[in-house]
Amino acid sequence: MRAGLRSAFAGYRPHYIREPIGQLIKSMISSRTKDEVSLKAYRRLVECYPRWSELAGAPVPDIERAINDVTHAKDKAFYVKETLGLIARDHPDFDLSFLKELSVPEALAWLQTLPGVGPKVAVSTLNFSTLAMPAFVVDTHVLRVLARFGVVGPRADIAAAYHAVMAAVPDWTAFELSEFHVLSKRLGQLSCRFDNPLCGECPLRQHCRFAGSAAGARISRSPLPADRPLVFPGRT
């Protein structure tokens, strides 16, 4: 899959441009929102509140106004304030670099104790930030591609897809996992679409179970499964 995606989509550039707290907040407001919209909202947010302490102390309605074009802006504003408040108790400098000292499962478990932080947000914080930790980000596009290709079952959720990929490529670096996410997502956006897949244009079609089956001519319209926390052996 990676070889086919690399051939089809050149020019990948790694993330790792934000500190962990910045990536955490960016990911929190990005859920179910187009990338270009959430990025503009994040930029407005940091322009209004240049310091994380200022954002933590801002009223929820003011935060909501700064990100008003993202989906569920009111809920996200509440969670952003609550999360920053909790972080400030033990880390008043909002420095999350200590996560680098933890294992990936431990860091993910810690992040998912924060309000509004699910599997995708937690993994994005580790992989896309300057932490550059090896964790695979799964969104709805990536989940759909993995399911149709046969990496996971058709009703797998984000947690199942995460564990399947991490088990299959335990030696991949943060860069390789980030690259695979971006290229798989691009495939999902361009040809492996939810309601009108263009299997004839897919660079992976020769090895894709979905494209080679009768189901390739139709699409299930049942809703995607909800996220569940990434749970690891020995952890709750």
Side-chain angles (χ1 to χ4, degrees), residues 46-214:
V46 296
E47 286 174 0
C48 292
Y49 306 102
R51 298 180 180 178
W52 298 116
S53 58
E54 296 175 356
L55 180 56
V60 170
D62 291 352
I63 300 174
E64 181 185 355
R65 278 192 289 272
I67 62 172
N68 63 357
D69 51 351
V70 304
T71 56
H72 307 298
K74 183 177 181 179
D75 292 338
K76 291 177 179 178
F78 172 80
Y79 286 135
V80 164
K81 182 176 176 64
E82 288 291 299
T83 285
L84 288 174
L86 284 175
I87 291 174
R89 294 180 186 179
D90 296 323
H91 306 278
D93 57 359
F94 298 96
D95 183 3
L96 300 184
S97 59
F98 72 92
L99 292 172
K100 187 76 171 180
E101 301 173 6
L102 305 178
S103 68
V104 169
E106 289 172 334
L108 289 174
W110 186 90
L111 286 167
Q112 289 181 94
T113 64
L114 300 172
V117 177
K120 182 186 174 185
V121 172
V123 176
S124 297
T125 301
L126 298 187
N127 185 261
F128 290 164
S129 75
T130 53
L131 291 171
M133 295 174 71
F136 182 61
V137 180
V138 182
D139 65 6
T140 54
H141 293 293
V142 174
L143 180 58
R144 183 170 63 253
V145 169
L146 294 175
R148 287 178 175 172
F149 200 81
V151 176
V152 295
R155 299 300 300 163
D157 61 7
I158 284 177
Y162 171 87
H163 288 298
V165 171
M166 295 298 292
V169 289
D171 297 327
W172 276 17
T173 64
F175 173 89
E176 290 172 311
L177 291 167
S178 174
E179 176 193 41
F180 189 59
H181 162 82
V182 170
L183 300 186
S184 297
K185 180 177 181 176
R186 192 174 303 174
L187 180 70
Q189 292 171 325
L190 296 179
S191 59
C192 194
R193 300 182 298 197
F194 173 67
D195 57 354
N196 185 28
L198 305 176
C199 295
E201 300 179 8
C202 176
L204 305 182
R205 61 186 178 277
Q206 292 183 339
H207 305 287
C208 177
R209 293 184 182 180
F210 182 85
S213 69

